[in-house]
Amino acid sequence: MVEADPAGGDLAARHHLPANPGLVSLAAAARRQSSAALLAQHSQRLPGGLRVVPGPVAAEQARAALGVLTTRGVRATRAAAAAPDAAILVDVGRLDSSSPALPLVRGADSLVVVARPRADELSHVATMLGDIPKWARMPALLLVGDGYSRAEVEHELRVPVMGTMPDDAPGAAPLCGRQRGRAPEKSAIGRAAARIAANLVAQAQHPPSSAAPSHDEVAEFVTANGNGGSPR
């Protein structure tokens, strides 16, 4: 998992990780090479084994690192994702047409837009619907927590919802750096994440034959998040 939020990262503070290796060291290395091993070399392991490339806390540092990665590091990200049984998740934060992380999105197999099914967050998603198909060939919308029903969201936005995630605080606790909580494989949020991941892998392995959809066609395959996108 690569933390590429232009506003700065949270993983280091949540999990008490050192600043390096991480996004900044990855950007520096990407100036010189673009091998598939680069991401692993600049990652750290979270409790449970997940490899992460933590972003810097400061937005200025994050944007500077992304400025290098989006010109020199996209090839390394694609090479790492092409390895057998590999999946690279990139958290790009709140996405818009001026985001320095946008080149990473354009190179992704899938774009997942995540939003809570509430008016304030869905209004941001609605403003993105015209641009999302231009950014990714397989966009998708993912809803988290309570609010409007899946059917209501699909009717109002005129796009399908790929999946839903429960608002599961005990299950999310270990992922947020808190020791107490359910193991991901035993939690509602963990099981939901596994189903969504399987759907994304299936989409990537059997992509639609048509070109990127227009605004009216985006209903064919959508998974998105008003606060950020997660490409593979």
Side-chain angles (χ1 to χ4, degrees):
M1 185 268 193
V2 180
E3 193 175 31
D5 187 341
D10 298 319
L11 287 175
R14 284 177 179 171
H15 296 276
H16 308 288
L17 302 175
N20 288 304
L23 195 73
V24 173
S25 64
L26 174 63
R31 294 179 184 271
R32 302 183 299 273
Q33 57 176 308
S34 58
S35 70
L38 204 57
L39 262 66
Q41 293 168 0
H42 294 272
S43 67
Q44 302 182 45
R45 283 192 183 275
L46 295 183
L50 177 66
R51 281 193 173 275
V52 298
V53 178
V57 175
E60 293 81 1
Q61 280 187 302
R63 287 179 172 271
L66 286 170
V68 175
L69 280 176
T70 53
T71 55
R72 305 285 186 88
V74 173
R75 187 178 301 175
T77 304
R78 294 296 301 171
D85 300 321
I88 310 299
L89 179 71
V90 185
D91 176 5
V92 297
R94 176 166 287 190
L95 194 60
D96 59 48
S97 59
S98 64
S99 172
L102 198 55
L104 294 175
V105 175
R106 294 187 190 279
D109 291 326
S110 302
L111 167 64
V112 180
V113 177
V114 183
R116 291 184 179 274
R118 303 185 310 220
D120 54 347
E121 296 201 13
L122 292 175
S123 63
H124 289 288
V125 175
T127 65
M128 298 165 60
L129 292 180
D131 290 323
I132 287 174
K134 304 173 188 175
W135 298 339
R137 58 193 178 90
M138 287 199 300
L141 177 61
L142 175 65
L143 301 178
V144 179
D146 297 328
Y148 293 114
S149 71
R150 181 172 184 161
E152 288 174 316
V153 172
E154 291 182 334
H155 178 266
E156 291 299 323
L157 295 184
R158 293 187 299 157
V159 297
V161 174
M162 174 190 166
T164 59
M165 294 275 284
D167 200 349
D168 177 17
L175 305 176
C176 296
R178 296 189 289 272
Q179 293 183 349
R180 294 184 179 275
R182 302 189 189 100
E185 65 274 11
K186 297 181 180 179
S187 67
I189 194 171
R191 292 191 295 271
R195 290 194 298 270
I196 292 162
N199 288 341
L200 287 172
V201 170
Q203 275 192 346
Q205 291 176 342
H206 304 285
S209 57
S210 61
S214 66
H215 180 276
D216 292 334
E217 293 170 330
V218 72
E220 292 181 6
F221 43 92
V222 179
T223 311
N225 172 351
N227 293 324
S230 304
R232 172 179 176 234

